């Protein structure tokens, strides 16, 4: 791993505005969302609406990723994604979710997830995860990916490549009639080949009209994840793999999660729907 210094919080820019004609999720302006009480299996109409939201989220992430380079701030990445979603009639789901102040999460190097965009400047050799969720048509689409900044070292490059592969393998394991824990079993067995840690306390989740429906998708082989997958179920898979421990610390901001040993971590995510014979990814650009 490169000898770069550990991350510290930067300065946050003012909260970005969203045009008044764009529909807000119900939780905006509230301390927490209303708990979801609906079904995990969605109608075909809801799934198609989620495909629209997912496409916008994926394209917003791609637009932000285009400017990733040494010298760019994480706040600049937030600005690009925010403007893309608003220009396409979508609300950035993270903005105002439980008080989160920005329109995507930017998690650099040792940050596992939920990094807040700010004045932090990306350095040559960093890795950065962009986590983008769009809300439109009454539903959410959620995806993330980890990118190399400039000339990252081989250890970081392999971590990113293998985390992407772990997500792909997990998606292939999705089949109706199987228990949810097959997803984590596939991810954990693959990660163990390389001695990677698998984050346990942050998981995939059910998603639909609710950002987080209550359904939990662990990325390790959890004996409790016995829910049986059914056609029409919609959820995210988002493995977080680490070069060292899976244990973490939380910054004082209450959001930024960093590896306890401060070694690097990568993550990839798609929103998907269970089909009659597998899974259909809803977050494709």
């Amino acid at each position: 791993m490169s000898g770069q210094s550990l991350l510290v919080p930067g300065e946050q820019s003012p909260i970005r505005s969203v045009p008044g004609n764009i529909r807000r999720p119900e939780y905006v302006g509230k301390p927490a969302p209303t708990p979801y009480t609906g079904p995990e299996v969605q109608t075909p109409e809801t799934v198609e609406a989620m495909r629209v939201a997912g496409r916008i989220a994926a394209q917003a992430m791609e637009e932000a990723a285009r400017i990733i380079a040494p010298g760019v701030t994480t706040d600049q990445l937030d600005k690009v994604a925010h403007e893309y979603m608003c220009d396409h009639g979508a609300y950035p789901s993270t903005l105002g979710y439980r008080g989160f102040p920005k329109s995507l999460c930017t998690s650099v190097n040792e940050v596992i997830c939920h990094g807040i965009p700010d004045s932090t400047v990306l350095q040559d050799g960093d890795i950065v995860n962009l986590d983008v969720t769009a809300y439109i048509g009454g539903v959410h689409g959620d995806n993330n990916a980890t990118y190399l900044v400039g000339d990252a070292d081989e250890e970081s490059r392999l971590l990113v490549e293998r985390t992407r592969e772990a997500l792909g393998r997990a998606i292939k394991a999705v089949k109706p009639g199987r228990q949810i824990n097959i997803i984590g079993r596939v991810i954990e067995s693959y990660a163990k080949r390389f001695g990677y840690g698998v984050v346990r306390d942050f998981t995939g989740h059910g998603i639909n009209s609710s950002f987080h429906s209550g359904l939990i998708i662990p990325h390790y082989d959890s004996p409790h994840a016995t829910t049986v997958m059914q056609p029409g179920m919609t959820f995210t898979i988002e493995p977080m793999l680490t070069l060292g421990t899976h244990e973490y610390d939380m910054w004082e901001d209450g959001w930024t999660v960093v590896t306890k040993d401060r070694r690097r971590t990568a993550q990839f995510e798609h929103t998907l729907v269970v089909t009659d014979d597998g899974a259909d990814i809803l977050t494709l650009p």
Side-chain angles (χ1 to χ4, degrees):
M1 180 179 142
S2 69
Q4 288 165 324
S5 58
L6 298 178
L7 209 64
V8 295
E11 291 276 325
Q12 291 179 33
S13 64
I15 290 173
R16 295 191 159 86
S17 62
V18 176
N21 64 322
I22 292 177
R23 178 179 172 186
R24 271 77 170 150
E26 60 82 24
Y27 52 74
V28 174
K30 294 164 54 177
T34 303
Y36 179 73
T37 56
E40 297 297 347
V41 172
Q42 304 303 311
T43 65
E45 293 76 18
T46 298
V47 170
E48 288 313 304
M50 290 179 65
R51 196 185 305 278
V52 172
R55 184 180 302 122
I56 291 171
Q59 290 174 173
M61 185 173 73
E62 277 198 343
E63 284 299 306
R66 285 184 212 282
I67 71 162
I68 289 174
V72 171
T73 67
T74 54
D75 188 67
Q76 287 173 277
L77 302 174
D78 181 76
K79 182 175 188 288
V80 171
H82 177 92
E83 291 178 352
Y84 186 93
M85 284 185 272
C86 291
D87 288 348
H88 289 79
Y91 186 91
S93 301
T94 60
L95 185 61
Y97 180 78
R98 297 183 181 271
F100 192 84
K102 292 295 174 182
S103 298
L104 83 166
C105 301
T106 50
S107 300
V108 180
N109 296 344
E110 70 268 21
V111 179
I112 293 170
C113 57
H114 306 157
I116 301 174
D118 58 19
S119 60
T120 297
V121 177
L122 296 177
Q123 307 290 328
D124 186 60
D126 283 345
I127 60 175
V128 58
N129 177 275
L130 306 185
D131 192 339
V132 183
T133 311
Y135 178 79
I136 188 171
V139 295
H140 300 268
D142 184 5
N143 70 160
N144 77 54
T146 303
Y147 300 89
L148 308 178
V149 182
D151 186 21
D153 61 29
E154 181 74 353
E155 186 177 48
S156 299
R157 187 187 66 75
L158 286 172
L159 175 68
V160 169
E161 184 180 293
R162 289 165 176 166
T163 307
R164 183 191 293 111
E165 174 68 14
L167 173 60
R169 288 173 180 239
I171 291 171
K172 286 177 182 169
V174 172
K175 295 278 190 303
R178 289 181 171 177
Q179 292 184 346
I180 290 288
N181 59 13
I182 186 68
I183 293 169
R185 189 176 309 141
V186 165
I187 291 167
E188 188 172 41
S189 63
Y190 179 69
K192 277 184 172 176
R193 290 193 205 172
F194 312 105
Y196 294 155
V198 181
V199 172
R200 300 167 80 90
D201 292 315
F202 300 90
T203 67
H205 52 89
I207 184 170
N208 38 65
S209 60
S210 172
F211 194 171
H212 299 87
S213 73
L215 177 67
I216 293 172
I217 313 294
H219 302 120
Y220 65 99
D221 187 5
S222 168
H224 307 296
T226 56
T227 300
V228 174
M229 292 183 265
Q230 304 172 58
M233 286 178 74
T234 50
F235 52 81
T236 72
I237 302 176
E238 44 189 299
M240 295 156 246
L241 305 187
T242 67
L243 289 176
T245 182
H246 68 270
E247 295 181 350
Y248 67 93
D249 292 321
M250 179 85 75
W251 280 6
E252 287 184 7
D253 61 24
W255 285 106
T256 307
V257 180
V258 296
T259 54
K260 191 170 276 294
D261 58 10
R262 303 302 190 266
R263 298 193 71 194
R264 289 187 170 188
T265 174
Q267 182 184 18
F268 283 83
E269 173 187 25
H270 275 306
T271 296
L272 53 89
V273 59
V274 180
T275 64
D276 289 338
D277 58 358
D280 185 10
I281 297 171
L282 301 177
T283 38
L284 294 175

